[in-house]
Amino acid sequence: MSKAMEPDLQTPLGRASGQATKEWSHPSNHWLRGFVLDNRAALGTLAVFIVMMAVFMIANPTVFTTWYLYSSVLTTLPVALFVVVPLVFVVTCGEIDLSFPATMGFASWVFALVVQAGYDPFIGIVAALVTGTLLGFLVGSLVVYGGLSSLIATLGMNFLLRGLIQIVNEGKSMALTGLADSSAYKIFSSQVFGIPVQIFWAIAFVVFAALLYNRHRFGAQVKVVGDNPDSARQMGIDVKWVRVKVFVFVGIGAAIAGCFSVMINFTWWPTAGDGYLLPVLASVFVGGTPTWGGIGTVVGGAIGAVTVSFIQTGVVAAGLSGFYVQFFNGLIIILSLLGHKWNQARYR
């Protein structure tokens, strides 16, 4: 064999002829596959929502092709989003907060009192935020420093705060018709081209929370504390303070939700927030945040809130009676949880 015909053992295969080849990479390293794996919980929730809406649209295409239906949902959906998103942090941290409905009612009560007294609604919003922050800190301190179960302590606080509201107000509501002429209403609760403004504020809140959860040190600390508190302590994380802060975040979100609920209805009710307990919790778990802590998804929780919000509207619009609403609520929740169980590994 001539020297020209001998193989060049020093040159990588494919480069003997002087042609450069692209670096080989495993298919699992593809960006799309990585995106799907990183967001499979949220994408699974989105798939459930799409299938559900397709069924509703087939059942009654006339109603589901009109903007009025979606406008009505987008009007009240932000109230739920402001509470669902902070609850993702709490559940990821390995805790639960059942006091947010009463916190929402209490903070909105403070907002209504300030507005009724003749002060600017912006001052009422600040007062409500301070109230929500203090109540969140109180609840978090009872759980963390008091050593109480978050399930029992927050449930007790929910009854306590709600009872206090009812005792003082004796079941009476407050009509705040002057809100319609305020600049706060125009900024936070009016409409632009037929779209409720509050949905834009809710989307901004979800984006902020998603960045906080996925890109900020606080979000990383919440995940580590929820996954393994002992390891978190060894890493120098103040576990107790992180746990308190997630309850404070829920208090702030509940206060914002309370203010928006009053501005939407121009009325404060002593029962404000009561109807959000089960739908909000369902949204968190339907969204793909598991109950064992350490992992979660803010975007999935937001999609879960959209899904739950459309269930009642969709069932009625599809021609079924309101008695089917609870049935479909339970069905969607169970199917979503089963899907998430098969779609992601259980770490704990």
Side-chain angles (χ1 to χ4, degrees):
M1 180 182 294
S2 64
K3 186 174 182 179
M5 296 177 62
E6 293 179 1
D8 187 358
L9 301 178
Q10 302 299 322
T11 303
L13 183 63
R15 297 187 183 180
S17 60
Q19 296 178 352
T21 58
K22 295 182 179 180
E23 185 177 351
W24 183 85
S25 62
H26 193 276
S28 63
N29 295 329
H30 194 273
W31 69 268
L32 181 59
R33 179 180 174 86
F35 175 81
V36 172
L37 290 176
D38 292 340
N39 300 277
R40 54 186 176 180
L43 292 174
T45 306
L46 180 61
V48 171
F49 172 71
I50 292 173
V51 171
M52 183 188 74
M53 292 301 294
V55 172
F56 287 152
M57 191 165 293
I58 293 172
N60 195 337
T62 303
V63 174
F64 281 90
T65 53
T66 58
W67 172 246
Y68 178 77
L69 172 71
Y70 300 96
S71 178
S72 62
V73 173
L74 293 179
T75 299
T76 56
L77 173 62
V79 178
L81 286 175
F82 284 120
V83 187
V84 169
V85 168
L87 271 178
V88 172
F89 285 75
V90 171
V91 177
T92 302
C93 205
E95 305 289 350
I96 192 67
D97 190 348
L98 303 181
S99 65
F100 68 85
T103 301
M104 177 179 167
F106 204 96
S108 62
W109 177 32
V110 172
F111 171 75
L113 287 174
V114 172
V115 174
Q116 191 181 54
Y119 294 99
D120 192 282
F122 285 106
I123 299 177
I125 293 173
V126 173
L129 290 174
V130 172
T131 302
T133 302
L134 293 176
L135 290 176
F137 179 78
L138 174 61
V139 172
S141 298
L142 285 175
V143 173
V144 177
Y145 300 113
L148 304 179
S149 164
S150 60
L151 176 66
I152 305 303
T154 58
L155 184 62
M157 282 297 297
N158 186 51
F159 284 117
L160 188 150
L161 292 175
R162 186 65 63 186
L164 181 60
I165 293 172
Q166 296 286 3
I167 291 171
V168 175
N169 291 277
E170 297 180 347
K172 298 177 182 178
S173 61
M174 295 184 192
L176 304 170
T177 54
L179 273 175
D181 300 324
S182 66
S183 56
Y185 171 78
K186 296 176 182 178
I187 294 174
F188 295 116
S189 193
S190 60
Q191 289 192 352
V192 176
F193 302 111
I195 303 175
V197 172
Q198 54 263 37
I199 191 62
F200 297 111
W201 289 103
I203 292 173
F205 185 75
V206 171
V207 172
F208 164 76
L211 293 174
L212 185 66
Y213 189 85
N214 297 308
R215 302 295 182 184
H216 194 269
R217 178 175 59 184
F218 176 62
Q221 291 176 344
V222 169
K223 297 171 189 174
V224 175
V225 170
D227 182 61
N228 194 323
D230 294 331
S231 297
R233 292 189 186 93
Q234 293 175 2
M235 294 169 62
I237 298 175
D238 190 341
V239 174
K240 291 185 176 180
W241 182 231
V242 170
R243 292 170 63 199
V244 170
K245 284 194 289 187
V246 295
F247 286 101
V248 171
F249 192 25
V250 172
I252 294 173
I256 298 174
C259 292
F260 272 89
S261 68
V262 173
M263 285 189 284
I264 290 171
N265 300 308
F266 302 120
T267 305
W268 174 83
W269 303 93
T271 56
D274 263 356
Y276 286 92
L277 179 60
L278 295 181
V280 164
L281 291 176
S283 301
V284 173
F285 299 122
V286 166
T289 299
T291 57
W292 53 84
I295 55 175
T297 165
V298 170
V299 175
I303 299 174
V306 176
T307 303
V308 173
S309 296
F310 269 100
I311 290 177
Q312 181 172 359
T313 305
V315 168
V316 176
L320 299 175
S321 71
F323 298 112
Y324 285 86
V325 172
Q326 289 188 349
F327 170 79
F328 278 98
N329 272 327
L331 180 63
I332 294 297
I333 292 170
I334 291 174
L335 291 178
S336 299
L337 293 178
L338 287 174
H340 292 313
K341 181 177 178 61
W342 294 332
N343 193 35
Q344 62 185 8
R346 178 164 182 165
Y347 297 102
R348 298 182 65 186

